[in-house]
RNA sequence: GGGGGAGUGUCCCGAGUGGCAAAGGGGGCGGACUGUAAAUCCGCUGGCUACGCCUUCGUAGGUUCGAGUCCUACCUCCCCCA
């Protein structure tokens, strides 16, 4: 454990953000003077960022809060190439249109946690398509390519692992690290950027940028020392990768993952992870987290509720977070029908006489009749909190309580049929 | 260019003798126990108008009462030689 002088590194350290750094002292000195200009790059492979990316956004937030300048870099150019890090197979190449759509869709999240503008510590957003697409192949080989040793590139994890597993690695992907390294130098040159942060899987790519900066400095480019800082890979205490659920990733955009589901995701955190996540994913002061951390047994649930509400508020706003907390309390603790569950309206006459299989399919709780049948056989479906015992059950007048029928899939997924 | 090998249940890995809706894992989901946790145990993990029918083993044909399994061509990938 080292001690840092700057509040930036102190904060990152006590909250558990730090995995590796190329030079702690150098970063500490810059941070102390408020002269850090740090960037994180974001892939545009999906229409939303997910909680894996959230870690680095939080880091940028702490950076800004400590008086330094953050840069968010959209990978409009690099996404056209595809990052091979941590992937077994080549991903399908996205079209330029898809990438642009994704880029626009992703952008909205940053303003929740970062202040943009023209001021000294205001965040700026850039897109590496602006310079990467203008590169000339021969010039690039001469100016940048000569600084890269293929011997070394082959030894990078992102390449080596592919080769060891006999997995295909195309030339386009092989170039990814060069482009990312170039990004760093480009940002250093034009924006004074001096630090790149990212997940631990990005270490190799980031270091390449640092090295490129040094090599070019000796030659033609007026550049300053560049630094690298990475966060640990996020896993749950039981070792599973963070952020994957049955339906896929935990997205940050509300239209892809509702505030309620997002709240639920954090609410279902394992006991052993609560303190760690409070530090990483909320802005609660450390002494308050210490109090929550001290809770034992079933009281840990209070800490989880706090975690869920705080984390949801950061991304979806305080109102949405409180509403999600409220819905959860009614649904789970009081068994009351909360009306902001997913609701599907149908004429009263149609609901009466509707088969349960249809009802669960219509409300999208079950994907097929077969799935509904299986779950009924296993006691997993219920109507108005009463377990359904037969797949031939027909909804009747008595199932409609104050014009609602509450359908539940397991204990955690609910939907309402509303009679109109 | 020559020789050898591989592609299996649309989540992944992986058995598979001509009778196969296809072994076994992992993951996921549901149930029990709990605290909306973890661990553990049990069940499920192609579709349907459902004791029956339809669609699935790289693609397209063929042999056969019957093909994941045999034959032919093609596609993709890997290894060795040049």
């Amino acid at each position: 454990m080292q001690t840092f002088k700057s509040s930036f590194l102190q904060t990152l350290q006590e909250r558990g953000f730090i995995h590796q750094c190329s030079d702690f002292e150098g970063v500490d000195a810059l941070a102390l003077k408020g002269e850090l200009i740090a960037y994180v790059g974001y892939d545009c492979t999906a229409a939303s960022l997910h909680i894996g990316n959230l870690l680095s956004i939080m880091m940028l937030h702490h950076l800004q809060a400590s008086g330094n300048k953050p840069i968010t870099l959209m990978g409009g150019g690099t996404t056209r190439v595809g990052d091979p890090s941590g992937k077994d197979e080549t991903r399908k190449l996205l079209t330029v249109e898809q990438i642009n759509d994704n880029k626009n869709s992703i952008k909205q999240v940053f303003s929740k946690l970062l202040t943009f503008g023209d001021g000294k510590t205001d965040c700026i957003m850039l897109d590496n398509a602006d310079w990467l697409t203008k590169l000339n192949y021969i010039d690039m080989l001469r100016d940048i390519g000569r600084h890269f040793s293929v011997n070394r590139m082959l030894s990078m994890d992102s390449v080596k692992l592919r080769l060891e597993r006999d997995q295909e690695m195309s030339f386009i992907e092989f170039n990814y690290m060069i482009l990312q390294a170039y990004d760093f130098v480009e940002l250093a040159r034009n924006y004074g950027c001096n630090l790149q942060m990212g997940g631990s899987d990005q270490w190799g790519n980031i270091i390449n940028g640092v090295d490129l900066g040094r090599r070019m400095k000796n030659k033609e480019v007026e550049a300053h020392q560049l630094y690298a800082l990475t966060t640990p890979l996020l896993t749950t205490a039981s070792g599973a990768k963070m952020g994957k659920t049955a339906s896929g990733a935990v997205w940050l955009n509300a239209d892809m993952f509702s505030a309620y589901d997002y709240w639920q995701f954090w609410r279902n955190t394992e006991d052993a992870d609560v303190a760690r996540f409070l530090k990483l994913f909320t802005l609660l002061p450390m002494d308050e987290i210490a109090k929550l951390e001290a809770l034992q047994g079933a009281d840990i649930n209070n800490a989880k509720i706090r975690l869920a509400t705080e984390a949801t508020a950061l991304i979806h706003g305080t109102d949405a977070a409180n509403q999600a907390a409220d819905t959860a309390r009614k649904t789970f603790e009081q068994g009351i029908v909360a009306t902001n569950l997913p609701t599907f309206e149908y004429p009263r006459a149609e609901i009466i006489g509707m088969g349960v299989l249809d009802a669960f399919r219509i409300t999208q709780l079950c994907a097929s009749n077969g799935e509904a049948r299986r779950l009924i056989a296993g006691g997993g479906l219920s109507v108005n909190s009463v377990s359904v015992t037969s797949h031939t059950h027909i909804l009747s007048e008595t199932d409609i309580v104050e014009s609602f029928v509450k359908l539940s899939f397991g204990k955690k997924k609910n939907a309402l049929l509303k009679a109109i």
Side-chain angles (χ1 to χ4, degrees):
Chain A
M1 271 300 204
Q2 322 194 22
T3 46
F4 297 117
K5 296 194 185 79
S6 66
S7 65
F8 174 57
L9 284 185
Q10 280 169 10
T11 303
L12 290 198
Q13 186 178 45
E14 70 186 6
R15 286 182 174 262
F17 280 93
I18 298 176
H19 180 247
Q20 268 180 297
C21 180
S22 60
D23 177 6
F24 280 114
E25 284 176 22
V27 173
D28 201 30
L30 284 172
L32 200 58
K33 291 186 280 181
E35 290 177 0
L36 270 184
I37 301 178
Y39 95 93
V40 178
Y42 295 93
D43 244 359
C44 303
T45 44
S48 166
L49 297 180
H50 50 81
I51 56 164
N53 302 307
L54 185 52
L55 206 57
S56 66
I57 305 178
M58 294 300 292
M59 209 156 46
L60 289 175
H61 174 91
H62 290 301
L63 177 86
Q64 188 168 47
S66 64
N68 295 283
K69 186 178 184 71
I71 298 175
T72 55
L73 178 68
M74 305 305 293
T78 34
T79 304
R80 294 193 205 174
V81 172
D83 184 2
S85 304
K87 297 185 189 66
D88 274 352
E89 293 171 14
T90 306
R91 211 193 298 228
K92 294 177 267 325
L93 281 179
L94 299 169
T95 65
V96 174
E97 290 74 36
Q98 281 175 310
I99 292 171
N100 282 328
D101 288 349
N102 288 342
K103 192 166 68 189
N104 292 325
S105 174
I106 285 171
K107 282 179 180 173
Q108 36 181 309
V109 166
F110 295 112
S111 58
K112 307 271 172 57
L113 284 154
L114 297 166
T115 306
F116 287 83
D118 299 324
K120 180 172 176 292
T121 65
D122 284 343
C123 185
I124 53 174
M125 183 178 302
L126 301 168
D127 181 350
N128 60 20
D130 290 344
W131 53 85
L132 292 182
T133 54
K134 292 182 185 131
L135 287 176
N136 170 292
Y137 195 54
I138 299 296
D139 289 345
M140 197 198 79
L141 289 178
R142 288 180 61 92
D143 296 341
I144 306 163
R146 69 188 161 114
H147 295 298
F148 283 84
S149 141
V150 171
N151 311 48
R152 213 171 95 74
M153 288 171 77
L154 289 173
S155 73
M156 306 291 295
D157 268 1
S158 59
V159 178
K160 196 174 66 181
L161 295 176
R162 281 278 187 93
L163 296 180
E164 278 172 1
R165 293 184 201 174
D166 289 337
Q167 298 285 349
E168 151 100 357
M169 171 99 187
S170 71
F171 186 65
I172 183 174
E173 292 176 284
F174 189 57
N175 279 271
Y176 185 91
M177 65 175 91
I178 295 179
L179 297 181
Q180 185 166 334
Y182 179 69
D183 276 348
F184 200 173
V185 172
E186 182 76 10
L187 289 172
R189 224 186 291 183
N190 297 329
Y191 300 90
C193 181
N194 44 28
L195 171 66
Q196 182 180 174
M197 307 191 291
S200 57
D201 60 331
Q202 291 298 311
W203 179 255
N205 287 337
I206 297 174
I207 283 300
N208 267 318
V210 174
D211 285 347
L212 180 64
R214 192 174 53 240
R215 294 193 176 118
M216 290 179 78
K217 184 167 81 174
N218 295 336
K219 314 277 176 179
E220 65 283 356
V221 178
E222 183 69 22
H224 36 267
Q225 176 64 48
L226 303 179
Y227 299 98
L229 177 65
T230 57
T231 58
L233 182 68
L234 257 194
T235 55
T236 66
S238 22
K241 268 186 198 158
M242 267 292 277
K244 294 287 180 188
T245 67
S247 42
V250 177
W251 304 108
L252 300 183
N253 284 13
D255 54 348
M256 290 174 68
F257 207 77
S258 74
Y260 178 73
D261 287 337
Y262 193 77
W263 193 93
Q264 282 295 327
F265 171 78
W266 294 108
R267 174 63 244 262
N268 286 316
T269 298
E270 291 179 33
D271 286 8
D273 288 326
V274 176
R276 193 158 57 97
F277 289 176
L278 279 167
K279 290 174 194 164
L280 292 171
F281 296 109
T282 76
L283 297 174
L284 288 175
M286 289 299 285
D287 52 352
E288 194 153 349
I289 291 175
K291 283 181 209 157
L292 291 169
E293 195 173 358
L295 294 173
Q296 293 295 319
D299 285 340
I300 291 175
N301 281 325
N302 294 327
K304 291 184 187 178
I305 291 169
R306 194 68 197 280
L307 167 66
T309 307
E310 292 292 331
T312 306
L314 285 181
I315 301 299
H316 296 281
T318 312
D319 289 346
N322 289 334
Q323 200 174 30
D326 192 50
T327 302
R329 190 165 40 73
K330 283 180 180 160
T331 311
F332 287 99
E333 294 173 25
Q334 300 169 9
I336 298 173
V337 174
T339 49
N340 53 349
L341 291 170
T343 303
F344 299 81
E345 298 188 346
Y346 278 87
R348 195 179 189 86
E350 273 187 44
I351 293 179
I352 297 171
M354 184 184 283
V356 267
L357 298 183
D358 287 334
F360 277 93
R361 210 159 29 73
I362 285 167
T363 50
Q364 295 165 22
L365 289 170
C366 293
S368 70
N369 286 357
E371 185 186 11
R373 280 166 202 269
R374 282 194 294 273
L375 282 157
I376 288 171
L381 297 184
S382 48
V383 173
N384 294 325
S385 305
V386 178
S387 182
V388 179
T389 51
S390 160
H391 63 81
T392 56
H393 181 74
I394 306 286
L395 294 182
S396 66
E397 185 75 46
T398 53
D399 290 319
I400 303 175
V401 182
E402 293 172 14
S403 70
F404 286 106
V405 185
K406 182 174 121 183
L407 304 172
S408 312
F409 176 108
K411 287 176 180 140
K412 299 182 183 177
K413 274 174 277 179
N414 304 287
L416 298 176
L417 265 185
K418 184 178 185 188
I420 52 174

